[in-house]
């Protein structure tokens, strides 16, 4: 005897509704026949779900062609269009020194992006929450979007996050900063939580160099290293959200810690200044080693400065070990270096490729991300949209308050 028919039918309907929204987002005006072709669903299912999605505020039904004066033989086709502006989502990246927020419509188009720094490196949890409030309000105002038009918010954090959106509490800071609870209680939004490198992987596969790549590692490589890993197009988490955590690098010969490209470019650039008084690095930083940045080292190397090139050669060797060890474990097709350092890090690719075969029998393709330091927030937008799409029959525009004007 088969049991659970009603729940099974409801689940199928949710899956079909998500498939319909995925097919319609950004596709313009579509007829029932075109939706049948793109989703593989029957006409009765397509029309039934379209009617429900119109009622929920996801779709608009347009006047048929006969009504617009265009003669069509037979029954006129019903035409539908996805309402991109029906609601909005927020993507938030909470870093060590700043917060970046993107507001997007339901097509995933960014309406605004705002970054706000913390006053110091390690501010208390309450102050961090206040900064988050201010930046969200500013981003919504800049986008011309009402706060209660937000269907979902995804927040990226530099900590392991489980499939259920729980932060691994072994990290002391997150015991005092329950960001999901704080944002939900203060604003009434549905809040999702995810590891920042995992969100970077979602963004890169969505809009970056990894489009169409199913087996992928995206490595945030600024001050610290972190990796988001996709296998067969699926983001991997592990039991407690620790899949892709790179703490094991502490024990890898020639690596020794999880500091990233920006950290070591500046550190080894300062060492080069100490031993080479004629290096152009000294001019770039005004003679102050503490003012030297990774970008200055990359600039000097590009201009032919020998000590700067030596520093980057050391960095390429180190990254070859890092990427080689990850590739040995998960065997990706592509590894993408991402974050604010990505544009400069492109200069390291030839050196990494040359040395990487010493550390893995399965070297992947290498690339740098074009998405800049907003990659985590962009991935958070993708994460929020995926969630809303999956729960389109529960989270829907018609359930939101109606506003005649945007926030001011």
């Amino acid at each position: 005897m088969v049991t659970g028919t009603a729940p099974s039918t409801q689940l199928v309907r949710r899956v079909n509704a998500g498939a319909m929204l995925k097919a319609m987002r950004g596709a313009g005006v579509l007829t029932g026949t075109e939706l049948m072709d793109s989703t593989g669903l029957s006409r009765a299912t397509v029309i039934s779900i379209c009617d429900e999605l119109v009622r929920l505020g996801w779709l608009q039904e347009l006047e048929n062609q006969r009504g617009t004066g265009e003669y069509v033989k037979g029954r006129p086709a019903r035409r539908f269009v996805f309402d991109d502006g029906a609601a909005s989502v927020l993507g938030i990246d909470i870093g060590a020194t700043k917060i970046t927020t993107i507001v997007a419509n339901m097509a995933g188009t960014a309406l605004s992006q705002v970054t706000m720094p913390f006053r110091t490196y390690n501010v208390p949890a309450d102050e961090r929450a206040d900064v988050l409030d201010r930046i969200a309000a500013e981003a919504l105002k800049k986008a011309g979007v009402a706060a209660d038009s937000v269907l979902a918010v995804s927040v990226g954090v530099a900590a392991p996050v489980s499939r259920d959106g729980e932060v691994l509490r072994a990290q002391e800071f997150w015991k005092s900063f329950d960001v999901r609870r704080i944002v939900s209680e203060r604003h009434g939004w549905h809040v999702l939580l995810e590891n920042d490198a995992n969100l970077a992987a979602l963004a890169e596969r969505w809009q970056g160099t990894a489009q169409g790549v199913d087996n992928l590692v995206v490595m945030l490589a600024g001050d610290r290293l972190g990796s988001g890993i996709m296998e067969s197009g699926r983001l991997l988490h592990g039991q407690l959200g620790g899949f892709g955590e790179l703490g094991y690098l502490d024990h890898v010969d020639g690596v020794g810690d999880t500091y990233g490209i920006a950290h070591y470019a500046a550190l080894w650039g300062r060492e080069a200044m100490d031993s080479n008084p004629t290096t152009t690095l000294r001019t770039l930083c005004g003679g102050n080693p503490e003012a030297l940045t990774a970008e200055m080292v990359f600039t000097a190397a590009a201009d032919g400065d020998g000590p700067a090139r030596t520093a980057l050669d050391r960095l390429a060797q180190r990254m070859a070990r890092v990427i080689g060890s990850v590739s040995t474990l998960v065997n990706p097709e592509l590894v993408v270096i991402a974050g604010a350092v990505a544009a400069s890090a492109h200069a390291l690719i030839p050196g990494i490729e040359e040395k990487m075969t010493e550390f893995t029998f399965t070297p992947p393709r290498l690339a740098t991300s074009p998405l800049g330091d907003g990659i985590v927030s962009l991935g958070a937008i993708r994460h929020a949209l995926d969630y809303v799409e999956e729960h389109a029959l529960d989270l829907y525009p018609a359930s939101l308050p109606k506003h005649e004007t945007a926030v001011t």
Side-chain angles (χ1 to χ4, degrees):
M1 177 178 177
V2 178
T3 61
T5 302
S8 297
T9 302
Q10 186 180 31
L11 176 60
V12 170
R13 192 163 185 81
R14 290 178 186 278
V15 171
N16 288 342
M20 292 274 288
L21 290 181
K22 189 182 295 292
M24 295 203 70
R25 189 192 304 132
V29 179
L30 293 176
T31 65
T33 299
E34 290 168 333
L35 284 168
M36 289 168 57
D37 292 339
S38 61
T39 64
L41 299 174
S42 69
R43 177 175 296 277
T45 299
V46 164
I47 296 303
S48 173
I49 292 177
C50 278
D51 285 340
E52 185 165 9
L53 294 178
V54 168
R55 179 180 66 82
L56 297 177
W58 285 113
L59 306 183
Q60 295 178 359
E61 183 172 6
L62 305 181
E63 190 176 6
N64 64 54
Q65 290 174 306
R66 185 171 293 167
T68 62
E70 299 178 33
Y71 178 74
V72 179
K73 292 183 178 180
R75 179 184 300 175
R78 296 179 66 182
R79 303 186 304 152
F80 303 91
V81 64
F82 182 76
D83 188 353
D84 295 349
S88 54
V89 293
L90 265 66
I92 302 174
D93 173 20
I94 302 180
T97 61
K98 62 185 179 182
I99 296 180
T100 298
T101 298
I102 294 176
V103 179
N105 64 16
M106 299 315 298
T109 302
L111 305 177
S112 68
Q113 178 172 333
V114 177
T115 297
M116 190 174 294
F118 299 121
R119 62 177 175 81
T120 186
Y121 182 80
N122 192 18
V123 299
D126 288 346
E127 184 175 339
R128 193 167 294 235
D130 290 342
V131 173
L132 194 156
D133 284 349
R134 291 199 303 273
I135 193 174
E138 183 176 335
L140 288 166
K141 181 178 180 180
K142 185 176 178 181
V145 169
D148 47 14
S149 75
V150 175
L151 277 179
V153 177
S154 175
V155 182
V157 297
V161 179
S162 72
R163 295 184 188 90
D164 298 326
E166 296 294 334
V167 175
L168 183 62
R169 298 291 174 167
Q171 296 195 352
E172 188 66 30
F173 173 75
W174 297 105
K175 293 180 181 179
S176 62
F177 187 40
D178 186 348
V179 61
R180 187 164 62 168
R181 178 188 59 79
I182 290 170
V183 174
S184 179
E185 288 182 355
R186 291 191 179 192
H187 301 280
W189 294 328
H190 184 84
V191 182
L192 312 168
L193 214 59
E194 183 56 275
N195 172 262
D196 55 358
N198 285 348
L199 293 179
L202 291 180
E204 194 62 36
R205 192 166 183 266
W206 180 30
Q207 294 189 10
T209 57
Q211 294 178 57
V213 177
D214 287 339
N215 298 293
L216 168 70
V217 173
V218 174
M219 187 165 292
L220 292 177
D223 290 323
R224 290 278 186 174
L225 297 173
S227 65
I229 298 173
M230 302 190 80
E231 197 276 328
S232 299
R234 181 172 60 97
L235 194 61
L236 300 181
H237 288 87
Q239 179 186 1
L240 299 174
F243 202 97
E245 288 296 306
L246 299 178
Y248 76 91
L249 294 175
D250 293 353
H251 309 290
V252 174
D253 186 41
V255 181
D257 55 46
T258 58
Y259 285 107
I261 289 173
H263 173 85
Y264 273 106
L267 175 64
W268 288 338
R270 287 191 288 270
E271 291 180 5
M273 286 178 58
D274 291 340
S275 58
N276 297 273
T278 61
T279 176
T280 58
L281 293 172
R282 193 172 301 279
T283 302
L284 288 174
C285 69
N288 178 12
E290 296 305 314
L292 186 71
T293 65
E295 289 74 15
M296 294 175 186
V297 178
F298 280 104
T299 298
D303 291 339
D305 183 78
R309 285 187 171 184
T310 298
L312 295 192
D313 285 343
R314 292 177 67 186
L315 194 49
Q317 175 83 9
R318 184 176 189 273
M319 289 303 299
R321 290 176 181 267
V322 171
I323 295 173
S325 67
V326 172
S327 298
T328 298
L329 290 170
V330 301
N331 191 26
E333 173 188 343
L334 174 66
V335 173
V336 180
I337 297 173
V341 74
S344 298
H346 188 74
L348 298 175
I349 296 294
I352 296 173
E353 290 176 332
E354 180 183 348
K355 298 174 177 66
M356 191 168 48
T357 53
E358 300 176 21
F359 308 111
T360 180
F361 291 114
T362 57
R365 292 190 294 115
L366 301 181
T368 53
S369 172
L371 301 179
D373 62 358
I375 187 171
V376 174
S377 297
L378 186 62
I381 291 295
R382 179 70 268 168
H383 187 220
L385 288 172
D386 287 343
Y387 183 86
V388 170
E389 199 169 81
E390 183 180 350
H391 297 84
L393 303 184
D394 302 310
L395 297 170
Y396 51 89
S399 68
L400 299 172
K402 303 303 178 186
H403 292 270
E404 297 181 359
T405 58
V407 290
T408 58

